[in-house]
């Protein structure tokens, strides 16, 4: 027998396993297309519902009357104070929550793909804390006009530091990266607290809580402009690079062999996530685990492909944030808690689950 | 006859030269084995040939010429449509189905911004050629090592390459999976793709390959057919092992029998000592 015949004989014994549809390890393709319209509707419904919830006694009809009047659609008979509660407090807050959730989830999904690390998250890798430090620094100096830029610089510095630190530990593994991120974020968090207390004016404790834990209590129309602006200008281009992110599935060399300019792509996309995280943190402080929880949950449902994962993470992140922020501002009425407490309550157990799923490569 | 011409590939790490101006010429459309001991520069040569690793600064990039076209001078995406690389021990950190893995090979043929990939059937064709179509919805991690290797080959085939580079494709596979993989490489070559594979097992190279490139300490030592290159002298000088080259009773191909340089048959109890002194004797 010639070697070719030997080879053919070897090839012919192929279909040893017959089709077994119920076998674990098979996933059903195609179902994901429904998620896009379903989640979009769910987001619109969540926003519409969340603005009607709050301590002030306003009916659903009154709330929508105010919004309709502001948009010039209907006449409003409500007092300016009641109208202001809706237009100046609730609506900007809900809209900001949606953008922050979307931005953090998208940043997490992109970072996970680029670092091949399911534990990557703007909070765990120190970007959020770095952004908080940058933001607090310029607030103390008094140049709040550059707040988002300072937060971006802080996020980028923290990211670079985390990745350098992880690399200096040897082969970059998910847990080493998270440990490096822990060092960076703890340090940045301490600096932030120190800066606030050093320059204490008014309620320093509350400020520290809001920056370290993350809160949307201060969200106004400026916050809406910053977060939605970042989401549209940076988030959309990032979300459209899904196919490029797929190429990183088997590492940098494999991506390069698929025609990707690995160095340039990684740099551009990581700067993009730092910009996005910086913009979100500059209005909300360091809200934790959103970038970890949502992309991992969405990936469980629709699988690996980033053309699906990125847009669905954006929608899921927005919905999640609208709900948890509504909970944060109403559950302990009349007091309000920083929303970051709830996201960490949800996120830390998910973090442990992801850790267990990836334990062989810890 | 059209040829693959590889020339002037150099890799240095610090002062150490891992690959010194390596090059070879071989006919297209066959399976070319890259052999040599660990550290001889096989992986470096493949990485440099694939264009995924830059050569030393200031040195010329070298050439990988296929039918008169230097693949290293092409743009990345264009090169990825002509050349595919399958590295050693590939693993993903996320769960991918077989179809998703194979579809990665279409990336150089798609627009990076595409919202929905237009699958023109190439993925199915690649899966059928590699014999993994029946597993297309399975998760990669649930397959055996040999099956995973086939999936990686299908991914490379989906790139529709003219040159396929593989680094130790039979590593960690059992005998059957090794023969399976090399058999598939022969089929791919029969379809006109030139295959270059780094191989540890000289007998696999002898049984399945048309051409052999022998690397030794960063230099190309010899290039040619299996009979010309896989000689007792080459094995003695590059691997430091004495061997006889026989003829396979069924295929007529070279069959290499390694001799553990022992003075006489040894009992099991004394074996470790004998091996140590035996190795020393060969090296000296």
């Amino acid at each position: 027998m010639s070697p070719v015949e030997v080879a053919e004989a070897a090839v012919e014994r192929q279909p040893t396993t017959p089709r077994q549809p119920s076998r674990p390890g098979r996933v059903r393709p195609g179902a994901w297309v429904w998620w896009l319209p379903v989640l979009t509707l769910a987001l619109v419904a969540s926003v519409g519902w969340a603005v009607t919830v709050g301590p002030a006694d306003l009916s659903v009809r009154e709330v929508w009357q105010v919004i309709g009047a502001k948009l010039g659609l209907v006449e409003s008979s409500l007092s300016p104070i009641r109208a202001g509660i809706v237009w100046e407090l609730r609506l900007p807050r809900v809209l900001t929550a949606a953008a922050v959730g979307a931005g953090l989830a998208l940043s997490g999904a992109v970072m996970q793909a680029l670092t091949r690390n399911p534990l990557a998250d703007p909070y765990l890798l120190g970007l959020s804390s770095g952004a908080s430090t940058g933001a607090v620094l310029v607030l103390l100096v008094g140049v709040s006009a550059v707040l988002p830029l300072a937060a971006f610089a802080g996020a980028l510095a923290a990211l670079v530091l985390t990745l350098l630190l992880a690399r200096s530990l040897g082969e970059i593994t998910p847990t080493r990266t998270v440990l490096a991120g822990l060092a960076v974020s703890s340090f940045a968090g301490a600096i932030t607290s120190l800066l606030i207390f050093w320059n204490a004016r008014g309620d320093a404790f509350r400020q520290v809580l809001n920056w370290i834990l993350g809160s949307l209590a201060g969200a106004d129309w400026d916050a809406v402009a910053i977060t939605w602006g970042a989401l549209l200008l940076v988030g959309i281009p990032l979300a459209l690079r899904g196919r490029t992110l797929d190429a990183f599935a088997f590492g940098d060399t494999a991506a390069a062999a698929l025609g990707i300019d690995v160095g340039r792509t990684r740099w551009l996309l990581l700067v993009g996530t730092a910009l996005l995280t910086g913009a979100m943190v500059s209005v909300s402080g360091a809200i934790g685990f959103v970038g970890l929880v949502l992309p991992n949950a969405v990936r469980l449902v629709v699988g690996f492909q980033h053309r699906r994962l990125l847009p669905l993470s954006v929608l899921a992140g927005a919905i999640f944030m609208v709900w948890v922020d509504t909970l944060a501002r109403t559950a302990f009425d009349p007091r309000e808690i920083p929303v970051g407490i709830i996201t960490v309550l949800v996120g830390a157990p998910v973090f442990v689950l992801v850790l267990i799923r990836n334990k062989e490569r810890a | 006859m059209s040829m693959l011409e590889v020339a002037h590939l150099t890799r240095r790490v610090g002062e150490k030269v891992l690959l010194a101006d390596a090059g070879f010429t071989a006919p297209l459309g066959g399976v070319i084995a890259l052999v040599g001991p660990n550290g001889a520069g096989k992986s470096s040569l493949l990485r440099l040939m694939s264009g995924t690793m830059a050569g030393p600064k200031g040195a010329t990039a070298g050439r990988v010429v296929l039918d008169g076209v230097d693949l290293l001078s092409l743009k990345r995406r264009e090169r990825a449509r002509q050349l595919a690389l399958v590295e050693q021990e590939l693993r993903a950190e996320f769960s991918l189905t077989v179809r998703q893995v194979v579809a990665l090979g279409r990336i150089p043929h798609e627009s990076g911004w595409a919202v929905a990939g237009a699958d023109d059937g190439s993925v199915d064709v690649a899966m059928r050629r590699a014999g993994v179509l029946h597993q297309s919805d399975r998760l990669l991690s649930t397959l055996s090592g040999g099956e995973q290797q086939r999936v990686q080959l299908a991914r490379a085939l989906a790139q529709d390459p003219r040159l396929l580079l593989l680094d130790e494709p039979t590593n960690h596979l059992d005998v059957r999976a090794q023969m399976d993989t090399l058999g598939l490489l022969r089929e791919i070559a029969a379809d006109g793709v030139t295959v270059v594979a780094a191989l540890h097992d000289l007998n696999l190279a002898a049984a399945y390959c048309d051409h052999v490139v022998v690397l030794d300490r960063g230099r190309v030592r010899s290039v040619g057919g299996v009979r010309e290159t896989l000689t007792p002298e080459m094995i003695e000088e590059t691997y430091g092992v004495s061997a006889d080259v026989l003829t396979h009773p069924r295929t007529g191909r070279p069959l290499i029998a390694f001799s553990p340089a022992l003075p006489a048959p040894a009992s099991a109890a004394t074996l470790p000592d004998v091996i140590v002194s035996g190795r020393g004797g060969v090296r000296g």
Side-chain angles (χ1 to χ4, degrees):
Chain A
M1 212 159 47
S2 79
V4 179
E5 282 166 337
V6 172
E8 275 168 1
V11 169
E12 266 161 23
R13 53 145 195 121
Q14 227 184 82
T16 45
T17 32
R19 273 185 174 274
Q20 286 177 301
S22 60
R23 198 188 171 105
R26 275 181 190 278
V27 295
R28 198 161 54 92
W32 80 279
V33 286
W34 294 102
W35 286 98
L36 213 58
V38 165
L39 287 188
T40 308
L41 280 177
L43 175 59
V44 172
S46 299
V47 170
W49 166 78
V51 290
T52 68
V53 179
D57 190 19
L58 287 161
S59 73
V60 174
R61 201 174 141 271
E62 284 171 322
V63 167
W64 283 100
Q65 211 175 25
V66 171
I67 294 171
K70 285 287 180 183
L71 297 175
L73 300 174
V74 292
E75 291 288 311
S76 170
S77 54
L78 257 70
S79 70
I81 291 175
R82 292 169 79 78
I85 289 173
V86 173
W87 190 255
E88 298 301 333
L89 294 178
R90 283 200 200 159
L91 191 58
R93 175 148 184 183
V94 172
L95 291 177
T96 303
V100 168
L104 292 178
L106 179 60
S107 292
V110 172
M111 288 167 65
Q112 283 158 25
L114 286 177
T115 61
R116 301 177 74 214
N117 178 357
L119 297 174
D121 163 72
Y123 180 77
L124 283 173
L125 265 51
L127 279 79
S128 300
S129 306
S132 286
T133 307
V136 168
L137 200 60
V138 296
L139 281 180
L140 291 183
V141 178
V143 276
S144 53
V146 295
L147 188 63
L149 281 181
F152 159 62
L156 191 61
L159 174 64
V160 170
L161 210 59
T162 297
L163 292 180
L164 285 179
L165 208 56
R167 185 181 299 175
S168 72
L169 297 173
E171 189 208 354
I172 294 188
T173 65
T175 28
R176 279 178 182 165
T177 312
V178 171
L179 282 177
L182 177 69
V184 171
S185 70
S186 307
F187 190 69
I191 300 264
T192 305
S193 307
L194 201 62
L195 284 171
I196 293 173
F197 278 105
W198 183 32
N199 207 311
R201 270 183 311 225
D203 192 353
F205 287 100
R206 172 143 223 101
Q207 283 184 47
V208 168
L209 278 184
N210 286 350
W211 282 110
I212 302 285
L213 290 174
S215 164
L216 291 162
D220 51 15
W221 283 105
D222 283 349
V224 174
I226 290 171
T227 53
W228 280 89
L231 198 57
L232 295 178
L233 290 177
V234 183
I236 287 181
L238 276 181
L240 289 176
R241 299 306 290 176
R243 197 54 178 153
T244 306
L245 290 178
D246 284 353
F248 284 82
F250 290 96
D252 290 1
T253 303
L258 289 171
I260 307 290
D261 186 342
V262 171
R264 185 170 154 274
T265 303
R266 186 197 301 285
W267 173 240
L268 268 178
L269 294 188
L270 283 179
V271 168
T273 61
L275 264 172
L276 204 53
T277 305
M280 301 311 163
V281 170
S282 74
V283 306
S284 71
I287 297 177
F289 290 101
V290 178
L292 175 84
V293 172
L294 278 311
N296 276 298
V298 172
R299 196 181 292 112
L300 271 183
V301 178
V302 300
F304 160 82
Q305 286 166 304
H306 291 86
R307 276 191 308 233
R308 310 168 180 184
L309 183 63
L310 298 185
L312 293 180
S313 293
V314 165
L315 289 170
I319 296 168
F320 175 78
M321 205 59 175
V322 167
W323 281 74
V324 293
D325 186 51
T326 305
L327 197 63
R329 66 190 165 86
T330 58
F332 297 90
D333 190 29
R335 277 187 306 166
E336 162 170 329
I337 61 168
V339 66
I341 292 178
I342 303 178
T343 64
V344 175
L345 270 179
V346 176
V350 174
F351 173 65
V352 173
L353 283 179
V354 177
L355 209 54
I356 290 171
R357 272 175 68 93
N358 294 279
K359 61 182 166 193
E360 76 273 14
R361 219 183 94 85
Chain B
M1 195 180 205
S2 341
M3 303 294 270
L4 166 68
E5 187 210 334
V6 177
H8 306 311
L9 295 179
T10 298
R11 188 185 177 203
R12 279 192 291 266
V13 173
E15 292 293 296
K16 202 168 185 285
V17 178
L18 298 182
L19 204 62
D21 197 34
F24 63 88
T25 304
L28 292 184
V31 179
I32 301 163
L34 213 53
V35 304
N38 282 337
K42 301 190 292 292
S43 295
S44 294
L45 181 55
L46 286 173
R47 287 284 307 273
L48 286 168
M49 281 177 71
S50 71
T52 58
M53 185 168 65
K57 284 198 173 69
T60 49
R63 288 201 309 270
V64 176
V65 182
L66 201 75
D67 269 347
V69 179
D70 180 6
L71 299 184
L72 291 184
S73 70
L74 297 176
K75 288 201 166 75
R76 290 167 213 273
R77 180 188 286 269
E78 183 55 37
R79 183 164 61 234
R81 295 177 191 173
Q82 310 249 353
L83 182 158
L85 169 72
V86 177
E87 298 162 84
Q88 247 185 93
E89 291 171 47
L90 286 160
R91 57 166 292 156
E93 297 306 315
F94 301 106
S95 297
L96 280 83
T97 65
V98 168
R99 177 180 295 278
Q100 287 169 349
V101 174
V102 178
L104 295 176
R106 296 307 295 166
I107 287 177
H109 299 269
E110 298 166 356
S111 149
W113 295 94
V115 175
D119 184 2
D120 54 3
S122 320
V123 175
D124 275 27
V125 171
M127 285 195 289
R128 188 172 297 121
R129 278 174 79 184
V132 296
L133 188 59
H134 63 291
Q135 296 168 320
S136 62
D137 293 332
R138 291 275 301 275
L139 289 176
L140 183 69
S141 52
T142 64
L143 302 181
S144 72
E147 290 171 325
Q148 293 197 23
Q149 191 59 263
R150 282 184 165 270
V151 175
Q152 294 298 346
L153 281 169
R155 177 177 67 89
L157 287 176
Q159 280 177 254
D160 211 4
R162 302 175 62 214
L163 179 60
L164 172 57
L165 309 177
L166 306 107
D167 198 357
E168 305 281 3
T170 55
N171 232 7
H172 299 311
L173 299 186
D174 62 36
V175 176
R176 182 158 199 172
Q178 289 182 0
M179 295 178 67
D180 215 21
T181 301
L182 278 157
L184 183 54
L185 293 184
R186 282 228 62 88
E187 286 181 20
I188 292 168
D191 289 342
V193 179
T194 304
V195 178
V196 181
L199 293 173
H200 255 305
D201 187 330
L202 296 181
N203 275 312
L204 281 178
Y208 287 93
C209 297
D210 306 295
H211 234 72
V212 177
V213 177
V214 181
L215 278 171
D216 186 19
R217 281 159 286 181
R219 294 174 191 282
V220 174
R221 180 196 148 98
S222 50
V223 185
V226 284
R227 282 278 175 206
E228 306 149 51
T229 49
L230 300 176
T231 60
E233 296 74 40
M234 181 281 282
I235 295 166
E236 173 87 50
E237 284 164 33
T238 57
Y239 289 86
V241 172
S242 82
D244 295 281
V245 178
L246 316 172
T247 297
H248 193 286
R250 291 208 221 162
T251 65
R253 288 266 178 161
L255 181 66
I256 297 152
F258 298 102
S259 304
L262 300 176
S267 74
T270 59
L271 205 53
D273 285 329
V274 173
I275 285 177
V276 170
S277 59
R279 279 177 66 99
V282 168
R283 298 235 163 188

